[in-house]
């Protein structure tokens, strides 16, 4: 079975060639290793996605891939985006097949039909090819590709128009808005720096300036609003691009923010406020190459710095919910940002003194896992050690009891209980079998046991064993002070039956 | 319950699958940003609760993860910040260690996992966006799995199928792989933010848990992977590691940047069944003993390693 799977090359392989170029060589050694094992999986593994291709998802992907801004981004980012949207590999491959990367954009109008035909030929069986009489491909899917291409051609025109108007607005913004914004920023800064020690005399004139700036800013804002209204009216499609424009505006605002930061630095007023922020930012921006970015610390979703994806979800929530780092962490961060190396770092040679050093002989054989034979292994050598002792109270009041009760409440639908989990709670534990050197032997010896137990229990009528168990419980509870509620008793009895159920299933 | 104080910030702790009293701990200086690393091998003292260090190994760069060999009781493997993977044999004198060092990953190695069923190979995952498969007796990696678009924070073998593993990545997807296949066999867009960790259910080989920067743990079934089986809310910050119990089907442990270690039963209504607030900085590493039911260990940026029984207070002495 396994060999069959290996030798069968995946149908989507050519489409992935650019990303997975190393796989053909790599699979070879993997197969060598693989030969040592016995395949356990049936031909159709549950771990392999077997869902049929969803045409609507492919259409969405095609729309996405046909977007001119998307086309320029690296393949892996386009794939990653679609994966995050829940598309399967097969769907993504299909979408990529239908939207091949275009030749230089100036020729797109000419080559469109050719492209469309290329898409056709890859999908169509070969016998169809002579019939390619130009306009109407016979299959539905290529037609869809052709259609989207047609729309895209329209989109190009629209983009041209919009780019012109957008550029106009951008120029407008740069000429009028930015200078006003700058003065506004200055004002803000001065307001922040309220301490009277500095520049107290400069205030009145600056206040006037600030008022003027505010007026100018509001005027500019109304200008923008007017422009935006005009644009809204023009076309439905344009609205979409206007959103891009507003996004651009946002970017500009961001630029201005960084500008204001720079100004603060220049004026030397930044001693107290934004130090940590700027330090952080610069480290994250990679200006310090020796320090590694703390990727997994969860405080920074700096995914965008590398991915360049265009339609990314905002990363803002992560910022606001960033965990507070310890102070010393910040110290080290700022130290590295200053280009200093923490003094506690030593030079250590951690290379193997003898790269051919053989492993020492193993002293004990591997142990089987509890999930492989359904019972917790118990090491006879350390029975009764402190780390094996449960909190005596926990069986009555703590987590153990509550979950046990919950388990039983749930067991009708799910039968989730683990026999091993409750073995220890009983008053009597059967003595452990002597240790065996080989894991296989352990399994062979221990496996039949539950079967025998079940047979016994099955032979005895349900009522009998139930009664005896119940008696046992009652004695146990009376011994422990009788504080257990009826509910717990019931839970434990049910647990018994559940256990039988499971072990029967297991065999 | 015993506490071990390490000189560096804790990143990972693992119980030995051979000796129930033995643990390995991975630590990194200066929070793993820049500096040395150290691997500690700890021994739980018999008699009174206590823990002692039996040996430690220094590394030039941070150690982000360790794992024990499943075939050799004395062998452990370390994932290092300089991209190297190092193998240590605790039965040999310390100056003979490490016995191997593989320099293949282009960036920090974030996780290492030994194959529990075949017992002859292990996986490493790295910030270079790849997962690598290694065999103990080979001088170089067997294979590289490159599909993720961002750092791969963890790669874990399936507990029943020796060829199947899962990988959790900062590209917000969880991938399922079969080493007999040329590429990943399933892509699950499990979270909207980076996925930091994943683990398989030990009693149902189709069920996985993932943890993410979005503060949640999610439970997935590969047979119907479009919607999670459960979403576990309760952590206050990113959930750094998630682990299924080796003894109970539906029990999950997790640790978070909110400094807590949580226990969950994903099959019940109130899934949060236990919470431990013993760490005073980010809780980064957890493990549950395969050999002793209920025995847990955790470590974090407070440089402390705790070992305790479920239901007890880790700080109680």
């Amino acid at each position: 079975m396994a060999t069959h799977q290996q030798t069968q090359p995946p149908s989507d392989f050519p489409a992935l060639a650019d990303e997975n170029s190393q796989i053909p060589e790599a699979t070879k050694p993997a197969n060598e290793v693989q030969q040592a094992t016995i395949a356990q999986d049936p031909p159709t593994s549950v771990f392999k996605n077997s869902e049929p291709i969803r045409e609507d998802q492919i259409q969405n992907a095609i729309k996405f891939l046909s977007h001119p801004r998307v086309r320029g981004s690296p393949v892996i980012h386009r794939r990653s985006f679609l994966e995050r949207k829940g598309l399967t590999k097969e769907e993504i491959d299909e979408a990529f097949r239908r939207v091949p990367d275009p030749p230089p954009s100036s020729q797109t109008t000419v080559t469109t039909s050719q492209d469309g035909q290329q898409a056709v030929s890859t999908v169509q069986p070969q016998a169809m090819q002579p019939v390619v009489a130009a306009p109407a491909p016979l299959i539905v899917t290529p037609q869809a590709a052709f259609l989207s291409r047609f729309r895209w051609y329209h989109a190009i025109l629209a983009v041209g128009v919009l780019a012109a108007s957008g550029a106009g607005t951008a120029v407008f913004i740069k000429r009028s808005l930015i200078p006003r914004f700058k003065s506004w920023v200055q004002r803000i800064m001065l307001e922040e720096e309220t301490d009277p020690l500095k520049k107290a005399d400069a205030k009145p004139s600056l206040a006037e300036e600030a008022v003027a700036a505010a007026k100018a800013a509001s005027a500019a804002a109304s200008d923008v609003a007017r422009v935006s209204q005009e644009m809204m009216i023009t076309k439905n499609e344009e609205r979409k691009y206007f959103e891009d424009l507003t996004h651009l505006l946002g970017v500009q605002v961001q630029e201005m923010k960084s500008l204001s930061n720079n100004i603060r630095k220049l004026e030397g007023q930044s001693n107290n406020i934004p130090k940590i922020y700027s330090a952080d930012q610069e480290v994250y921006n990679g200006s310090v190459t020796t320090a590694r970015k703390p990727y997994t610390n969860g405080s920074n979703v700096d995914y965008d710095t590398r991915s360049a994806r265009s339609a990314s979800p905002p990363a803002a929530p992560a910022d606001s919910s960033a965990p507070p780092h310890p102070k010393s962490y910040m110290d080290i961060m700022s130290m590295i940002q200053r280009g200093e190396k923490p003094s506690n770092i030593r030079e250590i040679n951690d290379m193997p003194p003898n790269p051919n050093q053989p492993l020492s002989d193993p002293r004990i054989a591997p142990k089987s896992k509890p999930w492989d034979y359904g019972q917790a292994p118990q090491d006879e050598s350390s029975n009764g050690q402190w780390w094996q002792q449960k909190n005596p109270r926990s069986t009555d009041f703590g987590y153990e009891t509550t979950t046990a009760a919950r388990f039983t409440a749930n067991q009708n639908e799910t039968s989730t209980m683990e026999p091993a989990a409750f073995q220890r709670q009983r008053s009597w534990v059967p003595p452990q079998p002597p240790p065996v050197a080989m894991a296989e032997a352990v399994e062979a010896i221990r496996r039949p046991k539950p079967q025998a137990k079940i047979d016994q229990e099955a032979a005895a009528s349900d009522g009998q064993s139930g009664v005896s168990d119940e008696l046992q419980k009652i004695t146990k509870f009376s011994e422990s002070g009788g504080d257990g509620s009826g509910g717990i008793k019931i839970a434990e009895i049910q647990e018994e039956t559940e256990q039988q159920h499971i072990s029967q299933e297991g065999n | 319950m015993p506490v071990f104080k390490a000189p560096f910030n804790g990143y990972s702790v693992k119980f030995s699958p051979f000796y129930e009293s033995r643990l390995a701990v991975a630590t990194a200086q200066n929070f793993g940003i820049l500096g040395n690393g150290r691997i500690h091998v700890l021994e739980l003292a018999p008699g009174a609760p206590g823990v002692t260090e039996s040996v430690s190994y220094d590394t030039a760069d941070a150690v982000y993860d360790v794992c024990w060999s499943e075939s050799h009781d004395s062998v452990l493997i370390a994932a290092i910040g300089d991209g190297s993977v190092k193998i240590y044999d605790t039965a040999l004198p310390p100056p003979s260690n490490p016995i191997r060092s593989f320099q293949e990953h282009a960036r920090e190695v974030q996780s290492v996992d030994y194959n529990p069923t075949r017992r002859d190979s292990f996986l490493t995952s790295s910030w270079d966006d790849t997962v690598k498969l290694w065999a103990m007796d080979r001088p170089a990696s067997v294979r590289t799995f490159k599909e993720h678009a961002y750092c791969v924070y963890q790669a874990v073998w399936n507990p029943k199928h020796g060829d199947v593993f899962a990988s959790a990545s900062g590209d917000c997807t969880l991938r399922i792989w079969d080493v007999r296949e040329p590429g990943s066999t399933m892509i699950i867009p499990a979270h909207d933010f980076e996925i930091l960790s994943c683990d398989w259910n030990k009693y149902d080989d189709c069920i996985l848990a993932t943890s993410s920067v979005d503060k949640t743990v999610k439970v997935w079934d590969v047979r119907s992977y479009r919607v999670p089986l459960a979403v576990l809310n309760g952590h206050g910050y990113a959930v750094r590691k998630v682990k299924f119990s080796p003894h109970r089907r539906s029990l999950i442990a997790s640790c978070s940047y909110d400094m807590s270690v949580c226990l969950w039963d994903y099959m019940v209504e109130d899934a949060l069944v236990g919470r431990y607030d013993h760490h005073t900085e980010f809780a980064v590493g957890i493990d549950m003993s395969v050999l002793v039911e209920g025995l847990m260990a955790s470590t974090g940026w407070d440089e402390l390693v705790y070992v305790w029984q479920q239901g007890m207070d880790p700080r109680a002495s």
Side-chain angles (χ1 to χ4, degrees), chain A residues 17 20 26 38 43 54 59 74 85 88 128 194 211 246 257 272 313 316 343 346 425:
Chain A
N20 297 338
I38 314 130
R54 298 164 297 178
Q59 289 307 322
K85 294 292 167 208
T88 64
M128 291 273 209
T194 41
V211 171
T246 48
K257 271 184 193 162
N272 39 4
S343 57
R346 291 187 298 143
Q425 290 181 29

Side-chain angles (χ1 to χ4, degrees), chain A residues 151-174:
Chain A
R151 280 200 210 114
W152 184 69
Y153 164 67
H154 273 295
I156 289 277
L157 280 183
V159 166
V161 173
L162 279 159
S165 63
T169 330
V171 166
F172 166 74
I173 287 164
K174 272 198 181 142

Side-chain angles (χ1 to χ4, degrees), chain A residues 46 63 108 110-111 132 166 254 267 293 356 383 452 458 472 493:
Chain A
V46 288
K63 273 178 208 148
T108 34
V110 187
T111 53
V132 168
Q254 209 109 64
E267 294 184 359
K293 300 180 187 180
N356 300 316
N383 252 345
Q472 210 179 338
I493 295 158

Side-chain angles (χ1 to χ4, degrees), chain A residues 109-436:
Chain A
T109 44
V110 187
T111 53
T112 306
S113 59
Q114 282 174 8
D115 262 0
Q117 278 180 17
Q118 274 172 7
V120 170
S121 64
T122 51
V123 181
Q124 271 178 325
Q126 281 194 340
M128 291 273 209
Q129 271 195 343
V131 204
V132 168
L138 300 171
I139 299 174
V140 184
T141 42
Q143 197 176 20
F146 194 74
L147 233 156
S148 73
R149 197 146 280 277
F150 194 61
R151 280 200 210 114
W152 184 69
Y153 164 67
H154 273 295
I156 289 277
L157 280 183
V159 166
V161 173
L162 279 159
S165 63
T169 330
V171 166
F172 166 74
I173 287 164
K174 272 198 181 142
R175 291 258 168 88
S176 61
L177 198 61
I178 291 185
R180 285 171 192 176
F181 209 89
K182 269 186 194 167
S183 58
W184 182 67
V185 161
Q186 273 179 345
R187 195 199 77 189
I188 294 283
M189 277 160 25
L190 285 161
E191 271 183 359
E192 272 180 22
E193 179 230 303
T194 41
D195 59 320
L197 295 173
K198 291 178 187 174
K199 296 186 181 178
D201 51 343
K203 260 187 179 170
S205 66
L206 276 165
E208 284 166 29
E209 209 180 288
V211 171
K215 276 182 190 166
S218 67
S222 66
D223 280 354
V224 171
R226 209 180 307 136
V227 171
S228 72
Q229 268 185 341
E230 280 168 23
M231 297 211 36
M232 292 283 272
I233 297 159
T234 51
K235 254 188 185 178
N236 270 355
E237 238 181 340
E238 285 195 7
R239 192 175 296 161
K240 199 168 62 190
Y241 293 96
F242 181 70
E243 276 163 22
D244 287 351
L245 211 99
T246 48
H247 174 72
L248 272 176
L249 269 175
V251 171
Q252 297 236 348
V253 168
Q254 209 109 64
E255 276 178 14
M256 283 174 219
K257 271 184 193 162
S258 69
L259 206 111
S260 82
N261 259 356
N262 286 339
I263 292 168
R264 278 184 210 184
K265 273 184 197 161
L266 281 175
E267 294 184 359
Q269 296 172 345
S270 59
N271 298 339
N272 39 4
I273 328 155
K275 189 118 206 175
I276 293 166
Y277 170 70
S278 60
D280 243 355
Q281 199 183 38
E282 275 170 39
V283 171
Y284 289 143
N285 286 344
S287 65
V288 180
T289 46
T290 50
R292 65 173 57 93
K293 300 180 187 180
Y295 281 117
T296 47
N297 66 16
S299 66
N300 243 48
V301 182
D302 54 352
Y303 193 87
D304 288 67
T305 55
R306 274 177 60 186
S307 73
R309 57 199 163 142
S310 50
S312 59
D319 261 1
S320 57
S321 66
H325 286 80
K327 189 183 168 293
S328 42
Y329 175 91
M330 291 306 181
D331 290 347
I332 289 164
M333 271 307 206
S334 54
M335 201 173 188
I336 291 164
Q337 194 255 328
R338 289 195 302 270
E340 295 169 24
K341 191 179 169 187
S343 57
N344 52 8
I345 299 175
R346 291 187 298 143
E347 291 293 328
I348 293 172
N349 176 16
D350 56 4
M351 292 314 282
N354 173 14
N356 300 316
Q357 170 83 44
L359 291 176
S360 64
D361 291 329
R363 273 165 292 190
I364 56 175
K367 303 189 173 188
S368 350
K369 303 292 181 192
W371 55 87
D372 284 337
Y373 61 97
Q375 197 184 11
Q378 297 191 337
D379 201 330
E380 67 296 331
S381 64
S382 47
N383 252 345
Q385 284 298 346
W386 59 266
W387 56 79
Q388 294 186 331
Q389 287 162 10
K390 301 258 177 191
N391 183 348
R393 286 175 43 186
S394 71
T395 44
D396 285 343
F397 301 112
Y399 160 71
E400 315 283 341
T401 310
T402 49
T403 40
R406 283 196 189 119
F407 267 119
T408 38
N410 243 28
Q411 70 181 358
N412 285 339
E413 314 104 59
T414 49
S415 82
T416 61
M417 274 225 314
E418 222 34 69
F422 293 92
Q423 216 92 47
R424 281 160 198 278
Q425 290 181 29
R426 292 207 235 139
S427 44
W428 180 80
V429 179
Q432 287 304 303
V436 190

Side-chain angles (χ1 to χ4, degrees), chain A residues 350-356, chain B residues 78 80 82-88 97-104 134 138-140:
Chain A
D350 56 4
M351 292 314 282
N354 173 14
N356 300 316
Chain B
I80 316 283
D82 58 11
S84 68
V85 176
K86 294 190 197 296
I87 300 180
Y88 295 83
N97 277 298
I99 56 168
R100 302 281 185 278
S101 180
F102 302 123
Q103 187 76 47
E104 282 193 28
W134 310 78
R138 282 166 185 258

Side-chain angles (χ1 to χ4, degrees), chain A residues 70-119:
Chain A
V70 170
R71 289 191 159 225
S73 68
V75 173
I76 192 160
H77 294 145
R78 280 182 267 170
R79 289 195 76 92
S80 175
F81 177 84
L82 293 172
E83 283 163 2
R84 275 183 283 121
K85 294 292 167 208
L87 273 75
T88 64
K89 226 181 198 177
E90 293 75 24
E91 288 160 357
I92 294 170
D93 290 339
E94 182 59 30
F96 267 91
R97 212 170 287 146
R98 295 191 204 169
V99 188
D101 270 334
S105 56
S106 57
Q107 299 175 358
T108 34
T109 44
V110 187
T111 53
T112 306
S113 59
Q114 282 174 8
D115 262 0
Q117 278 180 17
Q118 274 172 7

Side-chain angles (χ1 to χ4, degrees), chain A residues 2 5-6 10 20 22-23 26-27 29-30 32-34 37 39-41 46-49 51 54 76 80 83-84 86 88-89 290-293 295-298 300-303 306 317-318 321-326 328-329 332-333 336 341-342 344-346 348 350-360 362-372 376-377 379 382 385-391 394 399-400 403 406-407 410 414-416 418 420-421 424-425, chain B residues 2 17-18 20-21 29-36 44-50 58-61 64 70 72-75 81 86 89 91-92 95-101 107-108 118-119 127 129 138 142-143 146-150 153 158-162 164 170-172 175 178 180-187 189 200 202-203 205-206 213 215 225-226 237 240 246-251 257 265 267-268 273 281-282 290-293 295 301 309 311-312:
Chain A
Q5 282 185 357
Q6 289 162 22
N20 297 338
Q22 43 181 313
I23 281 182
T27 38
E32 284 173 32
V33 165
Q34 213 268 308
T37 62
Q40 306 134 314
D41 284 343
V46 288
F47 301 107
K48 187 160 191 176
N49 174 49
E51 282 190 14
R54 298 164 297 178
I76 192 160
S80 175
E83 283 163 2
R84 275 183 283 121
T88 64
K89 226 181 198 177
T290 50
R292 65 173 57 93
K293 300 180 187 180
Y295 281 117
T296 47
N297 66 16
N300 243 48
V301 182
D302 54 352
Y303 193 87
R306 274 177 60 186
S321 66
H325 286 80
S328 42
Y329 175 91
I332 289 164
M333 271 307 206
I336 291 164
K341 191 179 169 187
N344 52 8
I345 299 175
R346 291 187 298 143
I348 293 172
D350 56 4
M351 292 314 282
N354 173 14
N356 300 316
Q357 170 83 44
L359 291 176
S360 64
R363 273 165 292 190
I364 56 175
K367 303 189 173 188
S368 350
K369 303 292 181 192
W371 55 87
D372 284 337
D379 201 330
S382 47
Q385 284 298 346
W386 59 266
W387 56 79
Q388 294 186 331
Q389 287 162 10
K390 301 258 177 191
N391 183 348
S394 71
Y399 160 71
E400 315 283 341
T403 40
R406 283 196 189 119
F407 267 119
N410 243 28
T414 49
S415 82
T416 61
E418 222 34 69
R424 281 160 198 278
Q425 290 181 29
Chain B
F18 291 89
E20 59 181 49
S21 59
Q29 198 177 28
N30 302 328
F31 308 99
I33 308 165
L34 183 65
N36 306 136
L44 300 177
D58 282 324
T59 56
D61 211 315
Y64 286 141
E70 295 280 350
H72 266 72
D73 58 314
S74 59
V75 171
K86 294 190 197 296
D89 188 340
L92 295 170
S96 310
N97 277 298
I99 56 168
R100 302 281 185 278
S101 180
R107 302 201 53 198
E108 290 81 349
R118 287 174 48 165
R119 302 180 192 272
W127 295 9
D129 307 355
R138 282 166 185 258
V142 175
R143 200 177 146 186
K146 181 164 177 54
E147 257 184 49
H148 279 297
Y150 203 58
Y153 293 125
N158 185 291
K160 293 231 171 72
H161 303 274
V164 175
D171 70 4
C172 307
R175 280 167 202 262
D178 186 322
R180 296 164 295 188
E181 301 280 338
S184 68
T185 54
M186 196 175 281
I187 304 167
W200 294 91
K202 305 297 182 284
Y203 292 89
D205 55 0
C206 292
V213 171
K215 309 172 192 173
Y225 64 89
R226 295 273 173 219
Y237 288 117
R240 179 54 187 266
H247 297 278
R248 294 194 185 189
R249 179 182 290 265
S250 58
L251 188 67
Y257 290 124
D265 184 330
M267 285 186 171
V268 302
V273 292
E281 292 293 349
F282 296 173
V290 171
L291 301 175
V292 183
E293 193 200 334
L295 191 63
W301 279 16
Q309 256 292 349
M312 300 212 194

